[in-house]
Amino acid sequence: MALHSAVVHATVHVPEGRQSVSAVEDRFRAGSPGIPMSRGVLQHMYGLSQRTVAPHEEQPSDLAVHAARSLLEESGTPAGKVDLLLYAGILADMEEPATAHVVAAKLGLDCPVFDLKNACNGVLNALEVADSFIRTGQYRRVLISSAEVSTRESRWSVTDPDEVMGALPSLSTGDMGSAVLVCASTRPGILGSRFFANSWGWQAATLPNPYANHRTMGRLEIDSARLVDSFDGMPAKVRAAVRELGVDVDDFDLVCVHQPSVPFTRVACGWVGVDPSRILSTFPAHGNVATNTIPLQLATALKSDRLHPGDLVGMFGFASGASAGVVICRW
């Protein structure tokens, strides 16, 4: 009997802390005297209303653990039944060891673990890896965990007006943890995935490693126009990949796209060929939660009765680097 993999459940941990867009702008003005910022600019440019903020004492592993514990409980999966843990967040507790070890220790897991990182596409790549491991019989249950505390990378102090546009995206990020469970199945669940890269565009969005920068945390710098340009040619490849996998975008019962802002979400929908009205909009109330955006949309769809067994789901990611990918699954 052929072995397949299926996405069993998705859960997110949304921190209770909130920061309104007006509070974000006020703090930026206080930290950047002499730098003009019109009121409402973040809402106008990005569509942000508020963002989620984690408690200062919590690390990425803590947010990932909160989400994973909820997932294991909701799916009825004992911790001892997890065969592999993947941590796919951009931000980590430390450089060494892998944050996956920290997450596993807090969950009481004794399975193999490792970190997997590819900017905001980390969770989608983890789904690809989990699918491959399961279909080859290496593991039966793979727990994917992720978390971001991106609000801590917000650039509150800017002295040069020319730096403002590169700093503003850091003010629209949000904190969150997420977890996705992928299990062996006798029926096809994950139907296929395809990924592409334009690595020449890596400089469009960067957060330097402190150990490569004389132990000083680098600044999050995003050139939005350059980032969009770095996806040159990828939309056509993604649409072709969907067709290659034998699916039409109109066939999807649920479409999830990475949401770093409301305008970019509309652009991504155009790239994919999907009407933006079909997307569950998560950015305005949470901010750009990076690797958590796809799990957040899945969890939101489950809670709002928008996702049911047998539904066809298309997950599309566009991340800095640049990379693009699609994962198609039957729920």
PDB file of all heavy atoms in Angstrom, residues 1-6 131 134-136 139-140 182-191:
ATOM      1  N   MET A   1       0.839  -1.195   0.000  1.00  0.00           N
ATOM      2  CA  MET A   1       0.000   0.000   0.000  1.00  0.00           C
ATOM      3  C   MET A   1       0.876   1.247   0.000  1.00  0.00           C
ATOM      4  O   MET A   1       1.811   1.347   0.793  1.00  0.00           O
ATOM      5  CB  MET A   1      -0.919   0.002   1.232  1.00  0.00           C
ATOM      6  CG  MET A   1      -1.849   1.208   1.290  1.00  0.00           C
ATOM      7  SD  MET A   1      -2.896   1.182   2.775  1.00  0.00           S
ATOM      8  CE  MET A   1      -3.889  -0.278   2.435  1.00  0.00           C
ATOM      9  N   ALA A   2       0.577   2.185  -0.903  1.00  0.00           N
ATOM     10  CA  ALA A   2       1.358   3.412  -0.981  1.00  0.00           C
ATOM     11  C   ALA A   2       1.163   4.249   0.270  1.00  0.00           C
ATOM     12  O   ALA A   2       0.069   4.311   0.840  1.00  0.00           O
ATOM     13  CB  ALA A   2       0.952   4.205  -2.218  1.00  0.00           C
ATOM     14  N   LEU A   3       2.250   4.889   0.723  1.00  0.00           N
ATOM     15  CA  LEU A   3       2.188   5.725   1.911  1.00  0.00           C
ATOM     16  C   LEU A   3       2.132   7.190   1.496  1.00  0.00           C
ATOM     17  O   LEU A   3       2.875   7.638   0.623  1.00  0.00           O
ATOM     18  CB  LEU A   3       3.416   5.477   2.790  1.00  0.00           C
ATOM     19  CG  LEU A   3       3.379   6.023   4.217  1.00  0.00           C
ATOM     20  CD1 LEU A   3       2.244   5.394   5.007  1.00  0.00           C
ATOM     21  CD2 LEU A   3       4.710   5.738   4.912  1.00  0.00           C
ATOM     22  N   HIS A   4       1.237   7.912   2.124  1.00  0.00           N
ATOM     23  CA  HIS A   4       1.081   9.332   1.842  1.00  0.00           C
ATOM     24  C   HIS A   4       1.226  10.127   3.136  1.00  0.00           C
ATOM     25  O   HIS A   4       1.281   9.557   4.228  1.00  0.00           O
ATOM     26  CB  HIS A   4      -0.300   9.609   1.224  1.00  0.00           C
ATOM     27  CG  HIS A   4      -0.613   8.796   0.019  1.00  0.00           C
ATOM     28  ND1 HIS A   4      -0.157   9.113  -1.231  1.00  0.00           N
ATOM     29  CD2 HIS A   4      -1.343   7.658  -0.115  1.00  0.00           C
ATOM     30  CE1 HIS A   4      -0.594   8.227  -2.107  1.00  0.00           C
ATOM     31  NE2 HIS A   4      -1.309   7.325  -1.456  1.00  0.00           N
ATOM     32  N   SER A   5       1.269  11.444   3.004  1.00  0.00           N
ATOM     33  CA  SER A   5       1.267  12.297   4.189  1.00  0.00           C
ATOM     34  C   SER A   5       0.055  13.208   4.134  1.00  0.00           C
ATOM     35  O   SER A   5      -0.450  13.525   3.051  1.00  0.00           O
ATOM     36  CB  SER A   5       2.546  13.143   4.253  1.00  0.00           C
ATOM     37  OG  SER A   5       2.502  14.186   3.299  1.00  0.00           O
ATOM     38  N   ALA A   6      -0.417  13.625   5.299  1.00  0.00           N
ATOM     39  CA  ALA A   6      -1.577  14.512   5.372  1.00  0.00           C
ATOM     40  C   ALA A   6      -1.373  15.526   6.485  1.00  0.00           C
ATOM     41  O   ALA A   6      -0.817  15.196   7.542  1.00  0.00           O
ATOM     42  CB  ALA A   6      -2.851  13.710   5.613  1.00  0.00           C
ATOM     43  N   ASP A 131       6.643  15.894   4.273  1.00  0.00           N
ATOM     44  CA  ASP A 131       6.010  15.031   3.274  1.00  0.00           C
ATOM     45  C   ASP A 131       7.005  14.015   2.729  1.00  0.00           C
ATOM     46  O   ASP A 131       6.702  12.820   2.606  1.00  0.00           O
ATOM     47  CB  ASP A 131       5.449  15.903   2.150  1.00  0.00           C
ATOM     48  CG  ASP A 131       4.896  15.090   0.998  1.00  0.00           C
ATOM     49  OD1 ASP A 131       4.042  14.213   1.241  1.00  0.00           O
ATOM     50  OD2 ASP A 131       5.317  15.333  -0.157  1.00  0.00           O
ATOM     51  N   ILE A 134       7.911  11.327   5.402  1.00  0.00           N
ATOM     52  CA  ILE A 134       6.809  10.400   5.674  1.00  0.00           C
ATOM     53  C   ILE A 134       6.607   9.445   4.514  1.00  0.00           C
ATOM     54  O   ILE A 134       6.420   8.232   4.712  1.00  0.00           O
ATOM     55  CB  ILE A 134       5.518  11.184   5.986  1.00  0.00           C
ATOM     56  CG1 ILE A 134       5.649  11.865   7.355  1.00  0.00           C
ATOM     57  CG2 ILE A 134       4.297  10.265   5.971  1.00  0.00           C
ATOM     58  CD1 ILE A 134       4.521  12.800   7.706  1.00  0.00           C
ATOM     59  N   ARG A 135       6.649   9.945   3.294  1.00  0.00           N
ATOM     60  CA  ARG A 135       6.414   9.077   2.135  1.00  0.00           C
ATOM     61  C   ARG A 135       7.521   8.044   1.942  1.00  0.00           C
ATOM     62  O   ARG A 135       7.278   6.994   1.342  1.00  0.00           O
ATOM     63  CB  ARG A 135       6.236   9.925   0.874  1.00  0.00           C
ATOM     64  CG  ARG A 135       4.882  10.624   0.810  1.00  0.00           C
ATOM     65  CD  ARG A 135       4.584  11.252  -0.541  1.00  0.00           C
ATOM     66  NE  ARG A 135       5.486  12.345  -0.861  1.00  0.00           N
ATOM     67  CZ  ARG A 135       6.511  12.265  -1.700  1.00  0.00           C
ATOM     68  NH1 ARG A 135       6.779  11.123  -2.311  1.00  0.00           N
ATOM     69  NH2 ARG A 135       7.283  13.316  -1.937  1.00  0.00           N
ATOM     70  N   THR A 136       8.724   8.324   2.457  1.00  0.00           N
ATOM     71  CA  THR A 136       9.793   7.332   2.368  1.00  0.00           C
ATOM     72  C   THR A 136       9.795   6.389   3.568  1.00  0.00           C
ATOM     73  O   THR A 136      10.635   5.480   3.639  1.00  0.00           O
ATOM     74  CB  THR A 136      11.167   8.025   2.288  1.00  0.00           C
ATOM     75  OG1 THR A 136      11.355   8.863   3.432  1.00  0.00           O
ATOM     76  CG2 THR A 136      11.273   8.862   1.022  1.00  0.00           C
ATOM     77  N   TYR A 139       9.607   8.646   8.980  1.00  0.00           N
ATOM     78  CA  TYR A 139       8.834   9.034  10.161  1.00  0.00           C
ATOM     79  C   TYR A 139       7.347   8.948   9.836  1.00  0.00           C
ATOM     80  O   TYR A 139       6.949   9.013   8.674  1.00  0.00           O
ATOM     81  CB  TYR A 139       9.161  10.480  10.588  1.00  0.00           C
ATOM     82  CG  TYR A 139      10.627  10.715  10.883  1.00  0.00           C
ATOM     83  CD1 TYR A 139      11.413  11.459  10.003  1.00  0.00           C
ATOM     84  CD2 TYR A 139      11.222  10.198  12.031  1.00  0.00           C
ATOM     85  CE1 TYR A 139      12.750  11.687  10.257  1.00  0.00           C
ATOM     86  CE2 TYR A 139      12.569  10.409  12.292  1.00  0.00           C
ATOM     87  CZ  TYR A 139      13.329  11.156  11.408  1.00  0.00           C
ATOM     88  OH  TYR A 139      14.659  11.363  11.668  1.00  0.00           O
ATOM     89  N   ARG A 140       6.517   8.843  10.879  1.00  0.00           N
ATOM     90  CA  ARG A 140       5.073   8.780  10.684  1.00  0.00           C
ATOM     91  C   ARG A 140       4.368  10.056  11.158  1.00  0.00           C
ATOM     92  O   ARG A 140       3.338  10.429  10.618  1.00  0.00           O
ATOM     93  CB  ARG A 140       4.472   7.571  11.402  1.00  0.00           C
ATOM     94  CG  ARG A 140       4.893   6.229  10.815  1.00  0.00           C
ATOM     95  CD  ARG A 140       4.088   5.082  11.410  1.00  0.00           C
ATOM     96  NE  ARG A 140       2.666   5.219  11.164  1.00  0.00           N
ATOM     97  CZ  ARG A 140       2.060   4.867  10.024  1.00  0.00           C
ATOM     98  NH1 ARG A 140       2.781   4.373   9.017  1.00  0.00           N
ATOM     99  NH2 ARG A 140       0.756   5.011   9.882  1.00  0.00           N
ATOM    100  N   VAL A 182       1.835  16.904  10.678  1.00  0.00           N
ATOM    101  CA  VAL A 182       1.749  16.141   9.437  1.00  0.00           C
ATOM    102  C   VAL A 182       1.936  14.666   9.773  1.00  0.00           C
ATOM    103  O   VAL A 182       2.899  14.302  10.459  1.00  0.00           O
ATOM    104  CB  VAL A 182       2.829  16.583   8.422  1.00  0.00           C
ATOM    105  CG1 VAL A 182       2.637  15.874   7.088  1.00  0.00           C
ATOM    106  CG2 VAL A 182       2.781  18.092   8.223  1.00  0.00           C
ATOM    107  N   CYS A 183       1.012  13.830   9.312  1.00  0.00           N
ATOM    108  CA  CYS A 183       1.053  12.403   9.676  1.00  0.00           C
ATOM    109  C   CYS A 183       0.954  11.515   8.445  1.00  0.00           C
ATOM    110  O   CYS A 183       0.450  11.928   7.392  1.00  0.00           O
ATOM    111  CB  CYS A 183      -0.115  12.069  10.616  1.00  0.00           C
ATOM    112  SG  CYS A 183      -0.045  12.894  12.215  1.00  0.00           S
ATOM    113  N   ALA A 184       1.411  10.276   8.614  1.00  0.00           N
ATOM    114  CA  ALA A 184       1.278   9.277   7.561  1.00  0.00           C
ATOM    115  C   ALA A 184      -0.199   8.976   7.349  1.00  0.00           C
ATOM    116  O   ALA A 184      -0.995   8.992   8.289  1.00  0.00           O
ATOM    117  CB  ALA A 184       2.030   8.013   7.946  1.00  0.00           C
ATOM    118  N   SER A 185      -0.558   8.723   6.096  1.00  0.00           N
ATOM    119  CA  SER A 185      -1.959   8.497   5.754  1.00  0.00           C
ATOM    120  C   SER A 185      -2.058   7.492   4.612  1.00  0.00           C
ATOM    121  O   SER A 185      -1.158   7.400   3.779  1.00  0.00           O
ATOM    122  CB  SER A 185      -2.613   9.826   5.347  1.00  0.00           C
ATOM    123  OG  SER A 185      -3.924   9.633   4.859  1.00  0.00           O
ATOM    124  N   THR A 186      -3.158   6.755   4.587  1.00  0.00           N
ATOM    125  CA  THR A 186      -3.378   5.815   3.488  1.00  0.00           C
ATOM    126  C   THR A 186      -3.988   6.518   2.277  1.00  0.00           C
ATOM    127  O   THR A 186      -4.026   5.962   1.184  1.00  0.00           O
ATOM    128  CB  THR A 186      -4.312   4.679   3.926  1.00  0.00           C
ATOM    129  OG1 THR A 186      -5.538   5.242   4.420  1.00  0.00           O
ATOM    130  CG2 THR A 186      -3.658   3.850   5.023  1.00  0.00           C
ATOM    131  N   ARG A 187      -4.473   7.751   2.482  1.00  0.00           N
ATOM    132  CA  ARG A 187      -5.034   8.532   1.377  1.00  0.00           C
ATOM    133  C   ARG A 187      -4.115   9.716   1.076  1.00  0.00           C
ATOM    134  O   ARG A 187      -3.439  10.226   1.966  1.00  0.00           O
ATOM    135  CB  ARG A 187      -6.428   9.045   1.726  1.00  0.00           C
ATOM    136  CG  ARG A 187      -6.424  10.060   2.847  1.00  0.00           C
ATOM    137  CD  ARG A 187      -7.779  10.738   3.012  1.00  0.00           C
ATOM    138  NE  ARG A 187      -7.752  11.731   4.088  1.00  0.00           N
ATOM    139  CZ  ARG A 187      -7.331  12.975   3.939  1.00  0.00           C
ATOM    140  NH1 ARG A 187      -6.890  13.383   2.760  1.00  0.00           N
ATOM    141  NH2 ARG A 187      -7.344  13.820   4.957  1.00  0.00           N
ATOM    142  N   PRO A 188      -4.095  10.166  -0.148  1.00  0.00           N
ATOM    143  CA  PRO A 188      -3.272  11.335  -0.471  1.00  0.00           C
ATOM    144  C   PRO A 188      -3.751  12.578   0.280  1.00  0.00           C
ATOM    145  O   PRO A 188      -4.917  12.957   0.188  1.00  0.00           O
ATOM    146  CB  PRO A 188      -3.466  11.500  -1.984  1.00  0.00           C
ATOM    147  CG  PRO A 188      -3.892  10.152  -2.457  1.00  0.00           C
ATOM    148  CD  PRO A 188      -4.720   9.576  -1.343  1.00  0.00           C
ATOM    149  N   GLY A 189      -2.853  13.196   1.037  1.00  0.00           N
ATOM    150  CA  GLY A 189      -3.151  14.435   1.741  1.00  0.00           C
ATOM    151  C   GLY A 189      -2.402  15.575   1.083  1.00  0.00           C
ATOM    152  O   GLY A 189      -2.973  16.396   0.377  1.00  0.00           O
ATOM    153  N   ILE A 190      -1.071  15.617   1.315  1.00  0.00           N
ATOM    154  CA  ILE A 190      -0.241  16.581   0.589  1.00  0.00           C
ATOM    155  C   ILE A 190      -0.069  16.042  -0.826  1.00  0.00           C
ATOM    156  O   ILE A 190       0.545  14.998  -1.040  1.00  0.00           O
ATOM    157  CB  ILE A 190       1.117  16.788   1.284  1.00  0.00           C
ATOM    158  CG1 ILE A 190       0.917  17.437   2.662  1.00  0.00           C
ATOM    159  CG2 ILE A 190       2.035  17.654   0.419  1.00  0.00           C
ATOM    160  CD1 ILE A 190       2.189  17.679   3.434  1.00  0.00           C
ATOM    161  N   LEU A 191      -0.624  16.774  -1.789  1.00  0.00           N
ATOM    162  CA  LEU A 191      -0.662  16.292  -3.167  1.00  0.00           C
ATOM    163  C   LEU A 191       0.574  16.664  -3.956  1.00  0.00           C
ATOM    164  O   LEU A 191       0.868  16.051  -4.995  1.00  0.00           O
ATOM    165  CB  LEU A 191      -1.900  16.840  -3.877  1.00  0.00           C
ATOM    166  CG  LEU A 191      -3.241  16.531  -3.198  1.00  0.00           C
ATOM    167  CD1 LEU A 191      -4.398  17.148  -3.986  1.00  0.00           C
ATOM    168  CD2 LEU A 191      -3.438  15.027  -3.042  1.00  0.00           C
TER     169      LEU A 191
END
